[in-house]
Amino acid sequence: MTQDDAAKHIGVSRPTFVQIEAGKRSVSSLELDKLAYLFGRDIREFVANEFQQEDSLTALFRVQASVVGEPEVIDKLRECMALGRELTNLERLVGIDRDLSAVASYPFPAPKARWEAVQQGQRLAEEERRRLGLGFAPLPDMTELLESQGVRTAMVELPNDVSGLTLSDRKVGLFVVANDVHHHLRRRFSFAHEYAHVVADRDRSGLISQASARDDLIEVRANAFAANFLMPEDGVRQFVAGLGKGKPSRLFAEVFDGEAALNVEGRSAPGTQTIQLYDVVLLAHHFGVSRISALYRLRNLRLLSEAEFDHLKALDDEGKGKPLATALGLSEPDHAETRSEFKHRFLGLALEAYRRDEISLGKLRELVAMVGLSVDDLDQLLDDAGLDGEDDPTP
């Protein structure tokens, strides 16, 4: 970043910024706050006795150098850093401590080929499911699972080709973000994808998951992890068997009578084992994934042939899947409500910190603005919460 860039960000001329850098001009608290945001730092670091030169943003840019040329992504990254830092501070102010020792770590070597990456992702998912005692059942809410493992989560409006990111910062801790713009089910997949980075790529300061980088081997591994973690093979096969399908069209057995074996062949009635779109709809709903994710999983498990996959995908692309789900009585989540889940939790923490006099009204205004609330919204919120300055009626 040039001196011109930094000067523009804090609203001063370049010569003035040079004077600040040289210690010949004092810096206002507002300018310092803007500088802290610009460099992804906590403002308190600038007045601490010891200053840590290395910061998470710099480390992340070193790992993913391509991001440096994407100003929109960098801006959102700064926003995520600031949000993660404030979330961490609020949790500490109200006495919530994250036990990072609960977060698993699997020191897998970096994959050298796609197939190796897929195999590692599958093994990671199986081992993590086993560690958590999840069996083959559908997973609960992914944010709840991550939070229970000591990982903070958030939903932020990110550029469309960014599905999520994982930050590992000495002050923020482990922080996972999913793109708030994306569909609820895609966010669920993204959280599972980022969880792979948490358990397998902990040595990195952070990772940004972009569509343009989907061929990177650790991204391939994370996607394989997400598919296997959300839809374990045995669970999928068990569900399909429960639909009366998934058997091969021809079955063979050898019955041994002590001297010789008798070959027996059985055949399923034609068409009875063919998976239909409504089966895919039911499977996707069961595991809380999108229909397209379910289709790819069925194909990867050889429960669908290439021709069957193409046929069902074409039907879903024509828009036949959604009305089928409605007709089957499979309600979709309230997307507006799910998009507000993080905002609700963040605001709840901020109000509690304010009620305890841990933060000022000015800081509360700053925090609520970070999740898109206006001053009028805050006034109404304080009024509704009974925190508008009137005496607390509770004893």
Side-chain angles (χ1 to χ4, degrees), residues 46-157:
F46 289 91
V47 294
N49 292 329
E50 294 184 4
F51 186 77
Q52 186 80 22
Q53 292 292 336
E54 182 73 344
D55 65 274
S56 297
L57 274 184
T58 303
L60 197 153
F61 293 159
R62 189 171 55 247
V63 174
Q64 289 187 252
S66 61
V67 174
V68 175
E70 300 183 58
E72 188 183 9
V73 176
I74 292 175
D75 283 346
K76 286 298 178 182
L77 196 54
R78 289 193 184 102
E79 184 181 330
C80 290
M81 287 293 292
L83 200 59
R85 188 174 298 110
E86 296 296 356
L87 177 63
T88 301
N89 288 338
L90 285 173
E91 287 193 351
R92 287 173 180 161
L93 287 174
V94 302
I96 299 173
D97 291 319
R98 299 287 179 182
D99 180 12
L100 292 182
S101 63
V103 186
S105 179
Y106 298 91
F108 276 34
K112 297 176 182 175
R114 288 183 184 179
W115 183 243
E116 184 183 2
V118 170
Q119 288 182 308
Q120 285 188 1
Q122 179 177 345
R123 187 177 155 198
L124 272 170
E126 291 171 353
E127 291 193 14
E128 185 59 0
R129 267 190 167 265
R130 193 178 303 115
R131 186 184 75 86
L132 295 172
L134 296 169
F136 310 132
L139 293 181
D141 183 279
M142 276 305 301
T143 58
E144 289 180 8
L145 190 148
L146 282 160
E147 297 275 347
S148 73
Q149 297 305 301
V151 182
R152 294 184 175 86
T153 65
M155 288 181 281
V156 175
E157 185 176 333

Side-chain angles (χ1 to χ4, degrees), residues 10 32 37 90 140 146 180 196 204 206 210 239 265 267 304 322 328 341 343 356 367 369 395:
I10 65 172
L32 195 59
Y37 182 83
L90 285 173
L146 282 160
D180 192 36
R204 299 176 181 238
Q210 286 182 281
F239 186 86
E265 179 180 341
R267 289 175 179 269
L304 286 180
K322 189 171 182 178
L328 289 167
E341 286 172 356
K343 181 192 290 186
R356 298 187 191 186
L367 292 174

